[in-house]
Amino acid sequence: VAINIRPDANVLDVADAVNEMWPGIVAALPQGLEAVIGYDSTDYIRDAISEVIKTLVEAVVIVIVVIFLFLGSIRNSMIPAITVPLSLVGALFIMLAMGFTINLLTLLAMVLAIGMVVDDAIIVMENVHRHIEEGLSPFDASIKGGRELLGPVIAMTITLMAVYAPIGFLSGITGKLFTEFAFTLAGAVLISGIIALTLTPMMCAKLLKTT
């Protein structure tokens, strides 16, 4: 007996439901008749998800190391590095609100988002640092630097969202497959933009020092 899932169904949930019912099905069989699950595609899917989670952790570490190598300061590197986990947590809340699950496509979206969510924070932090070098206090430099980049950061965030969000409105099987991917990625970018305009200037005021 082959079990085919609907395009909008979660194959892992279906497999878990079948495995939960399986002992009862086997117990109801006539005496002398045995049954086994000959093929379960979710074994490969679970392995793939594990590999993506491993890649996600590796990507976070690599991005943080690269930020440190280019900024040359642990204090400065902390500001954009904190953006990565916060953006991913924000994306998880968006997934929860939209009824999405953690699967291969949503994890892939998070992997791709890691390199994108730090851009806004790095730009804001560098602009604040420039004002500090010009003689402003960290607090004043954070306010001025954040205000100067308000428009560009909003424009960058909207531009990136405009690229990925329309994928979620595709129809048919393709739309069902990539809706979660598109909205998860767009949500992570949105959260990163909000963080860049709010939390990043605040951290700059507290962590950056007058040179």
Side-chain angles (χ1 to χ4, degrees):
V1 176
I3 299 177
N4 298 316
I5 67 169
R6 295 172 52 183
D8 58 344
N10 187 309
V11 63
L12 298 180
D13 291 340
V14 173
D16 290 340
V18 171
N19 289 327
E20 185 178 345
M21 296 174 58
W22 186 250
I25 296 175
V26 173
L29 294 175
Q31 186 176 3
L33 185 63
E34 298 181 355
V36 294
I37 298 177
Y39 172 75
D40 186 356
S41 63
T42 60
D43 292 338
Y44 304 99
I45 296 176
R46 296 182 197 277
D47 290 341
I49 290 177
S50 298
E51 286 298 319
V52 173
I53 293 175
K54 179 181 176 182
T55 302
L56 182 63
V57 175
E58 292 174 349
V60 170
V61 174
I62 292 172
V63 167
I64 292 175
V65 171
V66 170
I67 291 172
F68 170 73
L69 292 177
F70 278 89
L71 297 182
S73 169
I74 296 179
R75 186 185 297 273
N76 291 0
S77 302
M78 287 175 58
I79 298 172
I82 291 174
T83 303
V84 176
L86 291 179
S87 298
L88 297 183
V89 170
L92 289 173
F93 276 105
I94 292 177
M95 289 170 54
L96 179 63
M98 301 187 71
F100 297 161
T101 60
I102 296 178
N103 52 55
L104 195 59
L105 289 173
T106 53
L107 288 174
L108 176 60
M110 290 185 180
V111 172
L112 294 177
I114 290 173
M116 303 168 63
V117 297
V118 297
D119 295 344
D120 295 342
I122 291 176
I123 293 172
V124 173
M125 190 272 295
E126 284 293 333
N127 194 44
V128 172
H129 190 267
R130 176 177 64 86
H131 285 301
I132 292 177
E133 291 180 335
E134 293 175 352
L136 291 179
S137 67
F139 181 80
D140 293 334
S142 298
I143 294 177
K144 185 175 182 179
R147 286 177 177 174
E148 287 178 346
L149 293 179
L150 178 63
V153 169
I154 293 176
M156 290 171 58
T157 302
I158 294 176
T159 300
L160 291 173
M161 292 180 61
V163 171
Y164 295 106
I167 301 176
F169 295 102
L170 294 174
S171 59
I173 297 178
T174 303
K176 292 296 182 183
L177 287 175
F178 287 98
T179 295
E180 296 186 2
F181 169 84
F183 287 136
T184 300
L185 187 54
V189 172
L190 173 62
I191 298 298
S192 71
I194 296 174
I195 292 174
L197 294 176
T198 55
L199 184 62
T200 298
M202 184 276 291
M203 289 191 295
C204 290
K206 297 296 183 180
L207 297 179
L208 297 185
K209 301 297 183 182
T210 304
T211 55

